[in-house]
Amino acid sequence: MPTSDIRNFIAFAQGLADASGAIIREAASRNNAFVSKGDDSPVTEIDRGVETELRRHIGAAFPDHGIQGEEFGAQATDAEYVWVLDPIDGTKAFVAGIPVFGTLIALTRRGIPILGVIDQPMTRERWIGAEGYPTTLNDTRVATSDRKLLPESVLSTSNIELYDPQSLPVFQALRSSVHWCVYGGSCYSYGRLASGGIDIAIDRFTTPHDVLAHVPVIANAGGVISDWDGAPLTLHSSGHCLAAANSDLHRAALAQIAAPRAGMMSAA
């Protein structure tokens, strides 16, 4: 891809994050009512309003691009370029007023994520990773930690309730091997992993919009991110993810979850 193209996409994604952040910051001062979706997860009018605004910008600037969003589904996802949107990752935290939520914006090319933005609108922290560019936090380059041993590592998972009885042993096996664990960080934890504050993150997500923005952010900060089998995350992935600060730590984490993964597959 020409360098000018990715630069243009980065600038455009910055504008999308500016737009989403303005909406979310204004709304955060209010008590935001929510309704439950079919999977019992909450959604607010702010989630829908942010995604509507981002889709409007994308449609005007890139009418030939596809879009896949959490609230309004898929549009032209067979296009060469597809934007993947999670308007408020961590809606429960948003409703509760706990500022670990954020907006996730990814751009895929032929299904492969080439650009990712993790935007934390309340603290105004923005991680950007893109093909051929080092990951930055507010325009300053960041890097993952250099820890390589599981017993010395800090683990993160977004929501323990996302694990069902079959997949919970996967998390527990990894949790038992690390130093300690933080919970409930949503997308903020993946930004902190890119900045070196967290060493490993594991989550049982169900859709690509939960995870694809993390891929370029973490990979271009020196980390490794994959599904639970070690395969690359793409537009067609389930969303299950395992991220680590470096390849040594990632290999060790994959080995740690191998036995419970086998048990999970047998149960299925």
Side-chain angles (χ1 to χ4, degrees), residues 48-230:
R48 292 168 174 155
V50 169
E51 186 169 322
T52 296
E53 182 69 359
L54 299 188
R55 283 176 176 264
R56 183 182 70 80
H57 283 289
I58 293 167
F62 303 109
D64 57 334
H65 287 196
I67 304 173
Q68 182 165 319
E70 179 179 18
E71 305 306 334
F72 298 112
Q75 167 189 327
T77 52
D78 58 346
E80 179 179 6
Y81 292 101
V82 177
W83 295 86
V84 183
L85 309 172
D86 192 342
I88 302 180
D89 180 72
T91 299
K92 291 179 180 178
F94 171 69
V95 172
I98 301 170
V100 293
F101 53 85
T103 297
L104 298 179
I105 301 165
L107 176 64
T108 66
R109 185 185 189 198
R110 301 189 183 99
I112 306 300
I114 60 169
L115 166 64
V117 178
I118 303 172
D119 188 66
Q120 215 298 357
M122 306 312 295
T123 62
R124 297 179 186 262
E125 293 171 283
R126 183 178 299 171
W127 287 267
I128 299 178
E131 184 178 274
Y133 287 82
T135 294
T136 59
L137 167 58
N138 295 350
D139 300 322
T140 298
R141 185 171 181 172
V142 295
T144 55
S145 81
D146 59 3
R147 295 187 188 90
K148 296 184 178 181
L149 300 176
L150 288 178
E152 299 175 357
S153 300
V154 177
L155 173 67
S156 169
T157 197
S158 294
N159 188 345
I160 198 71
E161 293 181 355
L162 295 176
Y163 297 91
D164 60 16
Q166 288 72 43
S167 60
L168 184 59
V170 176
F171 166 72
Q172 291 172 328
L174 189 54
R175 171 64 187 93
S176 68
S177 70
V178 301
H179 188 45
W180 48 277
C181 184
V182 293
Y183 299 87
S186 301
C187 60
Y188 196 62
S189 294
Y190 289 86
R192 297 309 308 161
L193 194 154
S195 291
I198 290 171
D199 306 304
I200 309 171
I202 187 170
D203 275 297
R204 182 182 176 266
F205 297 134
T206 56
T207 57
H209 64 253
D210 290 308
V211 68
L212 287 192
H214 303 328
V215 176
V217 170
I218 289 172
N220 290 288
V224 180
I225 182 168
S226 71
D227 69 12
W228 288 0
D229 293 314

